[in-house]
Amino acid sequence: VAMRSLAVAASLAAAAADRAHQLFVSGPAIAFRWENAPGWPVVYVSPNVAQFGFRPEALLGRPFAPLVHPDDLDRILAEVARFTSEGAATFHQEYRIRCPDGAARWVDDHTVLERAADGHVTGFLGYLIDATERRAMRARAMQMDRMVVVGTLAAGVAHEINNPLVYVGANLEFAARRLGELTASQRRGLDDVIRALADANAGTMRVAGIVRDLNLLARADVAEPGAIALIPVLESAIAIARAALCARARLVGTFDPVPDVHGTAPRLG
């Protein structure tokens, strides 16, 4: 009975070890060890480093530091030196590595500092996890947050501009109307004034269009889906973007008739 129990226990232990090994060699976490020597020579790396395009055997004995993206290397070198000198047992960092295909991938690095009896760091043991998609998702979430802030700001700015704009527009219309009531002789010498009023009125209409576009942007989160015409949405988007484009490009829009689509005009814009 004791022998059978030992055999069962050994079998279960072997199965558990096999599963752990499979996770170790094919799971998302890439195990590594490199020496605390110039360039951090790679002593061991698990086979699943192939997910980054590397062959494990090609990395053995090769310095790991040159694989770190140049924009991150100085920071990582400084942080490792600080952790080492401060007597830290572990550290956790995110940085980019350069893959064989030239792509840069973000990694989440969890490292244990191996120390000799005198405290000297002899090597680094830990694992890397691909953090590229997670960082991309985080960036998209931050972009969405910024868009919410922009929408709120747009609503406030549009409101603040609209009130005095109505007042200015009404006074310009009043002045133009009174000048129009003058006889030809009375208007003599006022041509410059009339043109200035016309230009000011055109500028007011332009600002009114910007306010309308800002209001459209601000309503992106509250608009109900429905049938929308594409060309007005395109024209509104172009109006918002025109100021950023006009300094370096000439934008030409040619629109063919298209059927309405289902959605929300603010979000599409």
Side-chain angles (χ1 to χ4, degrees):
V1 173
M3 292 297 293
R4 284 198 299 270
S5 297
L6 288 173
V8 171
S11 177
L12 291 175
D18 183 64
R19 287 193 293 271
H21 178 72
Q22 289 301 318
L23 178 63
F24 184 67
V25 300
S26 60
I30 300 167
F32 66 82
R33 184 182 184 280
W34 39 76
E35 294 179 346
N36 185 23
W40 306 329
V42 177
V43 178
Y44 172 81
V45 63
S46 55
N48 55 352
V49 74
Q51 63 186 277
F52 288 138
F54 293 105
R55 291 185 300 109
E57 61 275 12
L59 291 176
L60 294 180
R62 176 180 175 182
F64 177 78
L67 301 182
V68 178
H69 194 281
D71 293 344
D72 297 333
L73 183 57
D74 288 344
R75 171 175 62 87
I76 296 301
L77 288 172
E79 289 175 350
V80 170
R82 178 171 62 85
F83 282 119
T84 300
S85 63
E86 291 178 354
T90 63
F91 68 83
H92 171 214
Q93 298 295 333
E94 285 191 0
Y95 52 88
R96 288 163 291 180
I97 62 171
R98 295 184 296 179
C99 299
D101 62 0
R105 305 288 295 180
W106 282 94
V107 294
D108 194 354
D109 183 337
H110 296 256
T111 296
V112 174
L113 283 72
E114 297 179 323
R115 295 181 181 272
D118 61 358
H120 172 70
V121 175
T122 58
F124 305 95
L125 175 67
Y127 62 90
L128 307 174
I129 295 179
D130 190 347
T132 307
E133 183 56 30
R134 184 183 68 200
R135 290 184 64 93
M137 291 176 62
R138 188 188 309 164
R140 289 193 292 268
M142 291 177 63
Q143 179 65 20
M144 291 178 65
D145 289 343
R146 284 194 292 267
M147 289 303 296
V148 171
V149 173
V150 168
T152 303
L153 179 64
V157 170
H159 176 74
E160 292 298 326
I161 292 176
N162 196 56
N163 289 334
L165 187 64
V166 171
Y167 177 78
V168 171
N171 280 280
L172 287 173
E173 291 180 3
F174 172 76
R177 184 169 63 252
R178 293 300 302 270
L179 285 173
E181 294 171 355
L182 298 177
T183 64
S185 59
Q186 291 173 324
R187 290 199 301 269
R188 187 174 298 114
L190 296 177
D191 291 345
D192 290 343
V193 175
I194 293 172
R195 282 194 296 270
L197 285 173
D199 291 343
N201 190 57
T204 302
M205 297 300 293
R206 170 67 182 137
V207 175
I210 294 174
V211 170
R212 185 176 60 252
D213 293 332
L214 286 175
N215 275 320
L216 186 66
L217 176 65
R219 292 196 301 269
D221 291 329
V222 298
E224 292 294 328
I228 56 173
L230 289 176
I231 293 177
V233 176
L234 283 169
E235 291 174 338
S236 174
I238 289 171
I240 293 175
R242 189 180 300 278
L245 295 173
C246 64
R248 62 179 186 273
R250 182 169 62 93
L251 183 62
V252 179
T254 303
F255 308 123
D256 292 330
V258 292
D260 291 351
V261 298
H262 182 79
T264 61
R267 285 184 177 276
L268 182 59

